[in-house]
């Protein structure tokens, strides 16, 4: 049964269950393990918490309502009054049928012009709607791509082989807190920037990996990035360190600049 439970935890069914992407038979299987195994129940609760973190970190602001724009434009056009043509009275004795013919001609000309204007307006509105539909489809495609990326990172985050390391700041950066996720099986490394104290514009945060007797540069941390940032994976890394360097980063790390460090040999 332990082997079956391990296989179940690595199957990814719990992540699919939380996201509502399981079949009825898969739902029964997930609920069976959650009810009978504490490990499965704990994994389910952690997955829910991680999903909430990702939802907040990757929230996308909704686009401006297309319908409101179209209704506003139509309302503005309907408020404009059609100009009225006033005919001056004449004292000449023009036959009544000539007057009637003139009136009909004027009415016909006015109606034709009005219809032409309305047709032009509708064509313009139609072009606007088509453009906005294409823009909306493009936004949907981009959001789907972002959702796929989030799903992939979410699966990595909840992989049983992924180890979690919390880096807390020292006296120089008391509020600093980052979380590193390292998977030695898939050979991936990610870091979640939870809290990075504000630095002067000429300074930056840089992350390093300790490999035997030297420090290897893993890149500069961006405080504005609230989601996971990928960092290079090093097979023989003994620890991680974060330093404060001049803008652009440094080629070598010094102990005096270190604000957070952790050993990778304690898990």
């Amino acid at each position: 049964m332990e082997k079956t439970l391990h296989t179940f935890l690595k199957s990814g069914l719990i992540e699919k269950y939380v996201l509502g992407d399981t079949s009825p038979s898969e739902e029964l299987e997930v609920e069976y393990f959650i009810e009978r195994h504490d490990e499965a129940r704990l994994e389910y609760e952690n997955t829910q918490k991680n999903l909430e973190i990702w939802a907040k970190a990757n929230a996308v602001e909704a686009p401006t309502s297309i319908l409101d724009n179209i209704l506003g434009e139509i309302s503005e056009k309907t408020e404009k009054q059609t100009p009225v043509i006033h005919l001056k009275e004449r004292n000449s004795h023009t036959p009544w049928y000539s007057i009637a013919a003139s009136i009909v001609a004027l009415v016909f000309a006015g109606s034709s012009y009005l219809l032409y204007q309305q047709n032009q307006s509708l064509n313009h509105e139609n072009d606007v709607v088509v453009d906005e539909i294409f823009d909306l489809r493009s936004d949907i495609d981009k959001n789907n791509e972002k959702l796929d990326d989030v799903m992939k990172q979410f699966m990595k985050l909840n992989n049983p082989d992924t180890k979690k390391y919390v880096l807390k700041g020292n006296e120089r950066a008391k509020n600093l807190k980052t979380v590193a996720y390292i998977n030695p099986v898939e050979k991936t490394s990610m870091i979640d920037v939870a809290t990075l104290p504000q630095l002067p514009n000429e300074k930056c945060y840089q992350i390093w990996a300790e490999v035997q007797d030297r420090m290897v540069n893993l890149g500069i941390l961006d405080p504005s990035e609230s989601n996971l940032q990928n960092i290079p994976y090093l097979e023989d890394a003994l620890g991680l360190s974060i330093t404060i360097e001049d803008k652009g980063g440094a080629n070598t790390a010094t102990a005096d600049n270190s604000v957070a460090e952790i050993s990778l040999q304690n898990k």
Side-chain angles (χ1 to χ4, degrees):
M1 178 57 71
E2 288 300 326
K3 182 178 180 181
T4 302
L5 175 60
H6 181 71
T7 301
F8 167 75
L9 292 176
K10 297 189 67 174
S11 67
L13 284 177
I14 289 181
E15 289 83 357
K16 291 178 64 178
Y17 180 79
V18 172
L19 294 171
D21 196 28
T22 51
S23 63
S25 61
E26 289 174 334
E27 288 182 5
L28 292 176
E29 181 180 355
V30 173
E31 293 170 356
Y32 170 84
F33 278 95
I34 290 175
E35 182 178 355
R36 288 168 174 77
H37 297 279
D38 292 339
E39 295 93 334
R41 177 178 53 79
L42 182 60
E43 182 69 16
Y44 169 68
E45 293 174 353
N46 288 336
T47 300
Q48 284 186 312
K49 292 178 182 178
N50 287 329
L51 179 60
E52 182 179 353
I53 293 173
W54 273 111
K56 292 179 180 179
N58 295 272
V60 178
E61 186 174 328
T64 305
S65 173
I66 294 176
L67 180 59
D68 289 343
N69 291 341
I70 295 175
L71 292 178
E73 185 174 349
I74 293 176
S75 176
E76 180 181 351
K77 290 181 179 297
T78 54
E79 290 177 357
K80 296 180 179 180
Q81 297 180 352
T82 303
V84 179
I85 301 175
H86 297 279
L87 301 177
K88 296 181 179 180
E89 295 184 358
R90 295 183 179 179
N91 295 323
S92 60
H93 301 283
T94 306
W96 66 268
Y97 50 83
S98 297
I99 297 175
S102 299
I103 294 175
V104 170
L106 289 173
V107 171
F108 178 76
S111 300
S112 299
Y113 179 75
L114 178 61
L115 290 174
Y116 172 78
Q117 290 291 90
Q118 290 177 341
N119 183 62
Q120 291 294 102
S121 176
L122 289 174
N123 287 337
H124 174 70
E125 292 174 1
N126 182 65
D127 291 339
V128 171
V129 171
V130 171
D131 290 340
E132 291 183 345
I133 289 175
F134 276 109
D135 290 341
L136 182 60
R137 287 179 178 174
S138 177
D139 291 339
I140 291 174
D141 291 339
K142 292 179 181 178
N143 288 336
N144 286 337
E145 291 178 1
K146 292 181 180 179
L147 184 60
D148 289 340
D149 293 339
V150 170
M151 181 61 183
K152 291 177 182 178
Q153 290 185 331
F154 183 64
M155 295 289 287
K156 292 180 180 179
L157 194 67
N158 288 276
N159 191 313
D161 295 321
T162 300
K163 298 181 180 181
K164 176 181 177 181
Y165 301 90
V166 179
L167 288 84
K168 295 184 179 180
N170 56 21
E171 292 297 324
R172 296 185 60 195
K174 294 182 179 180
N175 295 329
L176 184 149
K177 182 178 180 182
T178 61
V179 184
Y181 298 91
I182 300 177
N183 189 320
V185 177
E186 296 184 356
K187 301 186 184 305
T188 59
S189 298
M190 297 179 293
I191 189 164
D192 183 11
V193 179
T195 305
L196 287 180
Q198 187 68 31
L199 291 176
N201 292 333
E202 66 275 8
K203 296 292 183 179
C204 68
Y205 290 102
Q206 192 167 353
I207 185 167
W208 309 80
E210 180 185 356
V211 180
Q212 295 180 354
D213 58 346
R214 62 192 178 93
M215 302 295 288
V216 178
N217 176 22
L218 298 183
I220 296 174
L221 297 179
D222 186 356
S224 64
E225 290 288 340
S226 60
N227 54 354
L228 287 176
Q229 302 179 36
N230 291 317
I231 57 176
Y233 173 82
L234 294 180
E235 183 75 35
D236 301 323
L238 302 176
L240 294 176
S241 176
I242 297 176
T243 62
I244 295 178
E245 307 290 350
D246 291 334
K247 187 175 182 180
N251 294 325
T252 58
T254 58
D256 292 340
N257 293 340
S258 177
V259 292
E261 56 185 2
I262 190 171
S263 172
L264 300 181
Q265 305 301 309
N266 58 354
K267 290 192 178 183

